[in-house]
Amino acid sequence: MIDLLLTAATTAAQGLGGPSEIWGHIVSDFSNITEPAAMAAFLQVLLIDLVLAGDNAIVVGALAAGLPPEQRRKVILIGVLAALVLRIAFALVVTQLLQIVGLIFIGGLLLAWVAWKMWRELREGAHSAGSPEVAGDEHSGLKPAKSFAGAAWAVAIADVSMSLDNVLAVAGAARDHPGIMIVGLIVAVALMGLAANIIAKYIERYRWIAYFGLAVIVYVAVKMIYDGWVDPSVGLGTLLG
């Protein structure tokens, strides 16, 4: 697990230069962490990581709930490992893509869609079968898969979507603070691998955490849409001006 986290640290930051440059970004941002903009970005990233890591665990547990115990544990393990790998891969891709004109705007729209889906899930609060290994997944409203292959496939598809959501939100929240973005992406991987189930339990118990996290995601989405239009270097509006 430690090796995987170190790989995440290196891979997520490849687009920001060599090790010395990466460390320089981190030192620069965290030496100024008391500044309002840096502190706000850091807190946004932490809350996004917490909420989306818990949501990931709940979805994986719900999809695996209909399987026998041994198969269920295997599917949950597959889901966690896939989420780790995908977050690392998407971190590299997203940090590169956000430099392309118009893609911050598109990313903001995608994140707004994520917020809408999350709002619907929180409001509906449907009940379904849950896995004993994961706290809170019995309220997901998701139907469990009927076979090991079906569950593994459903979890893989869900992981792709949720990992992209997580990385996109973190990159959008800390785009002007690369050091915070790097640390945030590492934290996202660490939480998914080490504490997702614990987070899911607390989010289920204290629903206000999920609503607060949703508000932050909405804010980041709106900011990305705005910046993605007016930014002089990568804004979509530059193509029409």
Side-chain angles (χ1 to χ4, degrees):
M1 180 63 69
I2 298 299
D3 290 341
L4 188 58
L5 297 181
L6 292 175
T7 301
T10 303
T11 308
Q14 281 180 0
L16 297 170
S20 60
E21 292 176 80
I22 292 167
W23 181 247
H25 285 308
I26 294 173
V27 171
S28 175
D29 279 336
F30 281 90
S31 64
N32 299 312
I33 195 66
T34 54
E35 293 182 0
M39 178 60 75
F42 183 59
L43 293 177
Q44 287 171 34
V45 164
L46 285 182
L47 190 57
I48 288 168
D49 282 341
L50 285 169
V51 171
L52 293 184
D55 194 45
N56 204 131
I58 287 170
V59 169
V60 170
L63 290 172
L67 301 176
E70 186 62 29
Q71 291 186 356
R72 187 174 62 238
R73 284 189 287 270
K74 287 181 180 178
V75 168
I76 291 173
L77 179 60
I78 289 171
V80 170
L81 293 177
L84 293 174
V85 172
L86 286 166
R87 274 161 170 73
I88 295 170
F90 284 146
L92 175 60
V93 174
V94 169
T95 52
Q96 295 293 321
L97 289 181
L98 289 183
Q99 306 306 313
I100 299 175
V101 174
L103 284 186
I104 293 178
F105 181 83
I106 295 172
L109 293 178
L110 290 174
L111 205 55
W113 173 245
V114 171
W116 170 246
K117 289 193 300 179
M118 189 174 174
W119 166 256
R120 289 180 58 187
E121 290 166 5
L122 287 171
R123 287 296 299 271
E124 290 170 3
H127 290 261
S128 62
S131 295
E133 294 85 354
V134 179
D137 57 349
E138 65 276 5
H139 302 298
S140 68
L142 294 173
K143 293 182 179 179
K146 297 181 180 180
S147 67
F148 178 82
W153 179 246
V155 164
I157 294 174
D159 272 339
V160 168
S161 174
M162 290 184 291
S163 296
L164 181 59
D165 297 344
N166 186 209
V167 173
L168 184 63
V170 169
R175 188 169 64 92
D176 296 327
H177 302 276
I180 291 174
M181 182 173 67
I182 293 166
V183 172
L185 292 171
I186 297 170
V187 169
V189 174
L191 289 177
M192 190 62 236
L194 301 175
N197 186 33
I198 297 172
I199 295 167
K201 178 176 68 176
Y202 279 95
I203 288 176
E204 175 59 30
R205 183 178 300 175
Y206 306 107
R207 300 292 282 177
W208 65 266
I209 299 175
Y211 280 105
F212 195 49
L214 173 62
V216 171
I217 293 172
V218 170
Y219 170 77
V220 172
V222 171
K223 186 174 184 296
M224 287 180 70
I225 291 170
Y226 177 77
D227 290 346
W229 184 265
V230 304
D231 191 288
S233 58
V234 294
L236 190 61
T238 60
L239 298 178
L240 306 175

